[in-house]
Amino acid sequence: MENFDIIIIGAGPAGMTSALNCLRAGKTVLVLEGESFGGQIAFSPRVENFPTYQQASGAELMDKLYEQISQWGARIELEKAERVERNSDGFTVFTDYGTYCCTSVILATGVKPRHIGVEREEELIGSGVSYCALCDGAFYAGEDVAVIGDANTAIQYAVVLSGYCKHVHVCALFDRLFADKALIDVLNSKTNVSVRYHMSLKEFIGDDELCGLHFEDTVTGEQINVDCKCAFICIGQQPSNKAFENLVELDQAGYIVADESCATSCKGIFVAGDCRTKSIRQLATAAGDGSVAAFYACKYVDEVTAKK
């Protein structure tokens, strides 16, 4: 059974930044990724808020990071981590293809936006369907856009978008908004925002690019079309942490509990990126987490090694 100093589960910006810093510290590193490299940001057609390039696609940035950790000697496997167990020397990671041992683990599994489940949703991601107004909103300055959702994130997105979009349509499924009152008050002060309730999305309108949405009123049955260049879907996120609940503490929403040191409730396991409890989830904060988690994981490995 192969043994590594550190196993990193997840190859998004947090996981690969962790790998880079662990490798630079002279540690042996295995990176496991169950789906595709790069995380959510890899699907963003343009990134303009990350310190380096004026503009680049998320895929380009993640390709560069992948090349960087490869050149530093990371072992990278496209395998899904199914569970982690503590053993006498550290941890054993079981994947859908094999089993590996290590002294420390960094969990960087990220989150997935909840999809609305309407036909052509996947096809239009990056062409009028988005899950992050902070990432993609500026590309629709001066356009009509829609926000689908009714809680804090949706209302925050609508407020941000109202600053540079021509009009923002907030489409809520239920009969009210579930956001904080202060946020709703701010939203109601915006003259270029309209809110409609009982809106159930039935169809994305447009060929190669989105140009509108088709809804049904869940109370009256009325069929409603909303013209827009982008639909920001904000109906929640899903952390991918259930496989590790036997070892680390999760909050009620399923996020791994950790502070700014990125240490979890289990000694030797660290967490980085969107899968942990935090208030801001962006590319830059994921990379920051990756650096912090790597520092403390390397420190832990050094302490364990010194005791042997």
Side-chain angles (χ1 to χ4, degrees):
M1 190 181 303
E2 293 183 87
N3 189 70
F4 298 85
D5 290 324
I6 298 167
I7 292 179
I8 299 167
I9 301 175
M16 289 197 285
T17 303
S18 292
L20 176 63
N21 284 275
C22 291
L23 290 162
R24 286 174 56 84
K27 302 297 184 281
T28 56
V29 174
L30 170 65
V31 180
L32 298 171
E33 172 55 55
E35 295 183 2
S36 58
F37 297 100
Q40 288 186 74
I41 196 66
F43 295 100
S44 182
R46 285 180 291 179
V47 177
E48 296 178 338
N49 64 345
F50 188 72
T52 48
Y53 301 100
Q54 179 71 19
Q55 177 182 300
S57 72
E60 288 173 335
L61 289 175
M62 292 303 100
D63 284 348
K64 290 289 187 183
L65 187 49
Y66 182 92
E67 291 173 8
Q68 194 173 15
I69 66 171
S70 297
Q71 289 173 2
W72 274 94
R75 167 82 174 274
I76 305 167
E77 297 292 346
L78 193 60
E79 300 181 23
K80 181 180 179 180
E82 296 182 332
R83 73 182 193 277
V84 178
E85 293 182 0
R86 183 184 282 283
N87 58 45
S88 58
D89 295 319
F91 300 93
T92 304
V93 179
F94 299 86
T95 78
D96 50 356
Y97 285 100
T99 305
Y100 307 93
C101 290
C102 61
T103 303
S104 180
V105 174
I106 297 175
L107 301 175
T109 53
V111 294
K112 295 179 180 178
R114 292 184 187 275
H115 288 203
I116 203 161
V118 174
E119 189 176 356
R120 299 185 64 233
E121 179 176 10
E122 302 283 342
E123 175 188 336
L124 289 169
I125 293 174
S127 298
V129 171
S130 175
Y131 303 91
C132 180
L134 300 178
C135 305
D136 300 328
F139 306 132
Y140 297 94
E143 304 284 1
D144 289 354
V145 298
V147 174
I148 301 175
D150 51 29
N152 280 341
T153 298
I155 304 312
Q156 287 170 341
Y157 280 2
V159 169
V160 170
L161 292 165
S162 71
Y164 43 77
C165 291
K166 182 179 178 182
H167 194 89
V168 181
H169 301 272
V170 178
C171 305
L173 180 61
F174 300 104
D175 61 351
R176 62 189 179 93
L177 300 177
F178 296 90
D180 296 338
K181 182 180 183 301
L183 270 177
I184 295 174
D185 289 343
V186 173
L187 183 78
N188 290 336
S189 72
K190 303 296 182 180
T191 58
N192 63 335
V193 175
S194 58
V195 182
R196 295 199 65 160
Y197 301 99
H198 311 296
M199 298 279 276
S200 176
L201 182 66
K202 297 301 179 184
E203 182 184 355
F204 293 103
I205 302 171
D207 296 324
D208 296 332
E209 299 281 341
L210 185 76
C211 63
L213 303 168
H214 178 69
F215 293 91
E216 180 178 276
D217 188 302
T218 58
V219 174
T220 67
E222 179 186 1
Q223 304 298 303
I224 303 162
N225 283 351
V226 173
D227 293 334
C228 62
K229 291 292 187 180
C230 186
F232 294 94
I233 300 173
C234 311
I235 56 174
Q237 293 180 318
Q238 296 175 301
S240 306
N241 297 325
K242 191 169 180 58
F244 317 113
E245 63 183 357
N246 63 313
L247 282 177
V248 298
E249 179 186 357
L250 308 182
D251 70 4
Q252 289 185 338
Y255 293 94
I256 299 171
V257 175
D259 59 16
E260 293 305 308
S261 72
C262 293
T264 72
S265 59
C266 180
K267 192 171 184 179
I269 297 184
F270 302 87
V271 60
D274 289 359
C275 62
R276 79 169 180 91
T277 50
K278 58 191 299 185
S279 57
I280 303 296
R281 293 183 169 89
Q282 289 189 345
L283 175 58
T285 63
D289 279 358
S291 296
V292 173
F295 174 84
Y296 285 105
C298 291
K299 184 173 182 288
Y300 177 80
V301 170
D302 290 342
E303 291 171 351
V304 170
T305 301
K307 291 177 182 179
K308 290 183 179 179

